[in-house]
Amino acid sequence: MGFKICIFLLLLGCLLQVPETTMARDMKRASIVIQGASRIAETDENFVCATLDWWPHDKCNYDNCPWGYSSVINMDLSRPLLTKAIQAFKPLRIRIGGSLQDQVIYDVGNLQTPCHPFRKMNSGLFGFSKAIVTFGLNALHGRHKLRGNAWGGAWNHVNTQDFINYTVSNGYVIDSWEFGNELSGTGVGASVSAELYGKDVIVLRDIIDKMYKDSKLTKPLLVAPGGFYEQQWYTKLLEISGQDVVDVVTHHIYNLGSGNDPQLVKKILDPSYLSRIAETFKNVNKTIQEHGPWASPWVGESGGAYNSGGRRVSDTFIDSFWYLDQLGMSSKHNTKVYCRQTLVGGFYGLLEKGTFVPNPDYYSALLWHRLMGKGVLSVQTDGPPQLRVYAHCSKGREGVTLLLINLSNQSDFTVSVSNGVNVALNVESKPKKKSLLDTLKKPFSWIGNKASDGYLNREEYHLTPENGELRSKTMVLNGKPLKPTETGDIPNLEPVIRGVNSPVCVSSLSMSFIVLPSFDASACS
């Protein structure tokens, strides 16, 4: 009877952490082994990035017009909540660009053609004539349309050169300049051959070098091509442009399909579907290592579902399963920066258009930015595919931070964590059965910890939807709904504190960040 009571108390410790509305039908155990001796990859310090697009207010998809006044050309940048949402990242990386950037003319210098605001035309391309900033440049200026999506002719760089000179003269700090949007391969709306594009980035490299030569400003990176990955096109670009021309190679991802796909929710909760995109991350990194090792891979734009995202999906809690999984998966493949489409606009905005109230993914992004450091660690688990596990060195402190994503709608998980220096976990076969006595002796071991140094606690951030509704617009952190304060401030993201030897519990259909300050990982020293 004594043994049964002990087991009940251990499980009760987990069950008390699970909201009644999300109580699962069963409790499963899983073991995690973190290889803390070496890093498998490293991200940029400001890995999390958000985009601002150019779309006008009458940009519509599937009988919805979700943009309003939320783009570069019409957004009210003076709104306090917008400012506070950006400032909370200290700093936030922002990429300004999108489908219309290759039609933007800059009203600076000796402009030979008049500037007109974007206006909707049935015959036009796409139907329309404190931050770290990446700015997308017009790579079609001066070219002419050939056939299909293909564009040819020489790029007219004068207007771009005048614009860059204008920013330098005014002391505007630009982190990076990106050349064109979705022109690679077959393109989206327009395409440029790798031969032409490669020669043009050499010209742009020369412009950047000259403009910043005598400036006190740090010389920006050159980012390209901002399109969908096609191995042959990307390889040729790097070979033609040559060494140290392109600093960052960007690619776009919309792996959930169209925004009106009725299967969006099913895809987001399907671990096998989510894992398919891993091959793209792997191949982009491989292409760069083989043909342009001086450059770094970025995801320059990713909104999950294209055409403004999925209504009542991309702006709700359930989207964070896809989003956080993308951040974890891409970082394992050496991705330095991941830009979310968008900061504001469409259904996939981190902030709601008009009000700038944060959507659930905003808080997911902010927690990642604050907790997950640059060092990416290898991790193994004997849990089922529905339990997604990622590990990083903790940001700005000792130890390791785990991201646990539970896609199961039936099971909660009780997780034990060990250091790979001391333990080898056989994930190829089912774990050996332990006797009841062995289980009770050391049910939740922290092998390789530094408890003797006084780190006896860990921090936990459990994310669930309000009222258990997966399509809720409100994310709940440790039982507390996350909403701006009465003064319009971003709420504090406070963890719950638990002893290092208490069970780690992850409820069904939830996500958790677990900060382990006592975890001994030499790779994080």
Side-chain angles (χ1 to χ4, degrees):
M1 178 65 73
F3 282 162
K4 292 181 180 179
I5 292 174
C6 287
I7 291 176
F8 173 75
L9 291 176
L10 286 170
L11 293 179
L12 183 63
C14 276
L15 292 174
L16 289 176
Q17 300 174 33
V18 182
E20 183 179 353
T21 53
T22 59
M23 192 74 76
R25 288 182 296 206
D26 63 344
M27 177 75 73
K28 293 184 177 179
R29 300 187 65 174
S31 298
I32 294 172
V33 174
I34 301 173
Q35 302 295 337
S38 61
R39 304 182 181 194
I40 59 172
E42 189 169 291
T43 69
D44 186 85
E45 183 74 20
N46 296 292
F47 174 71
V48 172
C49 166
T51 68
L52 286 174
D53 215 312
W54 290 92
W55 291 119
H57 70 280
D58 54 351
K59 153 71 172 171
C60 304
N61 296 103
Y62 319 126
D63 298 322
N64 289 293
C65 303
W67 286 85
Y69 294 87
S70 60
S71 76
V72 180
I73 58 175
N74 56 30
M75 184 166 55
D76 182 0
L77 298 175
S78 67
R79 296 287 290 276
L81 188 52
L82 172 64
T83 301
K84 291 176 180 179
I86 294 174
Q87 289 176 340
F89 281 83
K90 301 178 183 178
L92 176 63
R93 184 184 291 277
I94 294 178
R95 176 233 182 194
I96 299 174
S99 300
L100 295 178
Q101 78 180 52
D102 293 302
Q103 298 183 59
V104 176
I105 304 298
Y106 316 111
D107 192 7
V108 295
N110 186 23
L111 189 62
Q112 299 296 314
T113 57
C115 275
H116 298 289
F118 287 128
R119 57 185 183 275
K120 192 168 183 177
M121 296 187 302
N122 293 331
S123 60
L125 184 62
F126 300 102
F128 292 95
S129 88
K130 180 174 187 169
I132 303 171
V133 176
T134 296
F135 195 95
L137 298 168
N138 183 343
L140 287 183
H141 188 48
R143 303 189 199 277
H144 57 273
K145 191 170 184 179
L146 299 175
R147 60 185 179 280
N149 282 348
W151 286 60
W155 173 54
N156 185 337
H157 65 270
V158 175
N159 187 234
T160 291
Q161 180 172 308
D162 288 341
F163 180 58
I164 293 176
N165 182 57
Y166 172 81
T167 64
V168 173
S169 300
N170 285 276
Y172 298 149
V173 178
I174 303 295
D175 176 79
S176 43
W177 296 104
E178 186 174 36
F179 188 58
N181 182 80
E182 297 179 350
L183 303 176
S184 57
T186 55
V188 178
S191 66
V192 176
S193 70
E195 290 84 357
L196 276 178
Y197 190 97
K199 293 175 182 177
D200 291 332
V201 293
I202 294 174
V203 174
L204 180 56
R205 169 86 277 166
D206 185 60
I207 292 172
I208 293 173
D209 290 346
K210 288 179 178 177
M211 292 293 104
Y212 288 87
K213 182 179 180 181
D214 300 319
S215 173
K216 294 180 180 180
L217 299 173
T218 301
K219 183 169 67 175
L221 302 172
L222 194 162
V223 179
F228 290 95
Y229 173 73
E230 292 187 19
Q231 190 271 333
Q232 186 175 0
W233 195 99
Y234 271 60
T235 297
K236 189 168 290 186
L237 161 64
L238 290 168
E239 291 176 345
I240 291 174
S241 59
Q243 187 167 347
D244 297 327
V245 172
V246 176
D247 299 304
V248 173
V249 174
T250 47
H251 66 110
H252 293 181
I253 291 175
Y254 286 91
N255 61 312
L256 296 179
S258 64
N260 66 341
D261 186 345
Q263 300 299 312
L264 274 183
V265 170
K266 182 179 179 180
K267 289 178 179 179
I268 289 172
L269 296 178
D270 182 350
S272 63
Y273 187 90
L274 293 179
S275 293
R276 293 179 191 175
I277 198 64
E279 195 68 17
T280 298
F281 293 128
K282 177 182 177 180
N283 291 337
V284 170
N285 189 44
K286 181 180 179 182
T287 296
I288 293 172
Q289 294 305 313
E290 292 179 353
H291 303 281
W294 54 85
S296 300
W298 288 14
V299 173
E301 180 181 314
S302 182
Y306 59 80
N307 283 347
S308 302
R311 184 172 180 268
R312 298 297 299 162
V313 176
S314 300
D315 54 351
T316 67
F317 175 85
I318 196 170
D319 198 64
S320 277
F321 290 110
W322 163 81
Y323 182 39
L324 285 176
D325 190 64
Q326 283 274 295
L327 297 182
M329 190 189 309
S330 62
S331 63
K332 287 174 59 178
H333 293 281
N334 209 38
T335 301
K336 304 301 183 186
V337 170
Y338 190 105
C339 295
R340 166 61 181 259
Q341 175 83 346
T342 60
L343 176 61
V344 194
F347 294 120
Y348 40 37
L350 296 180
L351 306 176
E352 189 70 18
K353 73 175 188 297
T355 65
F356 299 110
V357 170
N359 284 321
D361 280 355
Y362 170 86
Y363 295 109
S364 295
L366 187 56
L367 281 169
W368 177 289
H369 178 75
R370 291 181 177 180
L371 301 176
M372 303 290 269
K374 297 191 299 182
V376 186
L377 305 176
S378 176
V379 61
Q380 294 174 292
T381 179
D382 61 1
Q386 287 78 14
L387 181 63
R388 317 281 280 186
V389 183
Y390 301 100
H392 282 229
C393 297
S394 293
K395 191 168 189 176
R397 60 193 295 186
E398 292 185 351
V400 168
T401 299
L402 277 173
L403 168 61
L404 305 175
I405 302 172
N406 186 357
L407 299 173
S408 173
N409 64 356
Q410 298 182 10
S411 300
D412 298 333
F413 288 97
T414 303
V415 178
S416 63
V417 184
S418 300
N419 194 322
V421 174
N422 308 88
V423 172
L425 178 65
N426 182 3
V427 296
E428 300 299 328
S429 59
K430 293 183 179 179
K432 294 180 180 179
K433 291 184 178 179
K434 297 180 180 179
S435 69
L436 183 58
L437 183 61
D438 289 336
T439 300
L440 292 174
K441 279 181 179 177
K442 211 166 192 179
F444 305 103
S445 60
W446 295 83
I447 301 174
N449 70 13
K450 297 183 288 185
S452 60
D453 296 339
Y455 295 99
L456 300 178
N457 296 318
R458 65 173 185 266
E459 299 171 7
E460 299 185 357
Y461 300 79
H462 297 282
L463 303 174
T464 55
E466 189 172 47
N467 299 322
E469 295 292 335
L470 290 178
R471 296 201 195 186
S472 171
K473 298 269 287 185
T474 301
M475 177 170 276
V476 175
L477 172 62
N478 297 328
K480 181 180 180 180
L482 294 175
K483 298 179 181 180
T485 66
E486 292 182 0
T487 57
D489 293 310
I490 300 302
N492 293 329
L493 306 181
E494 300 291 344
V496 292
I497 307 299
R498 304 198 187 280
V500 293
N501 288 317
S502 63
V504 176
C505 307
V506 186
S507 61
S508 65
L509 296 174
S510 74
M511 296 150 280
S512 300
F513 289 93
I514 311 295
V515 181
L516 314 174
S518 63
F519 196 93
D520 189 5
S522 56
C524 300
S525 300

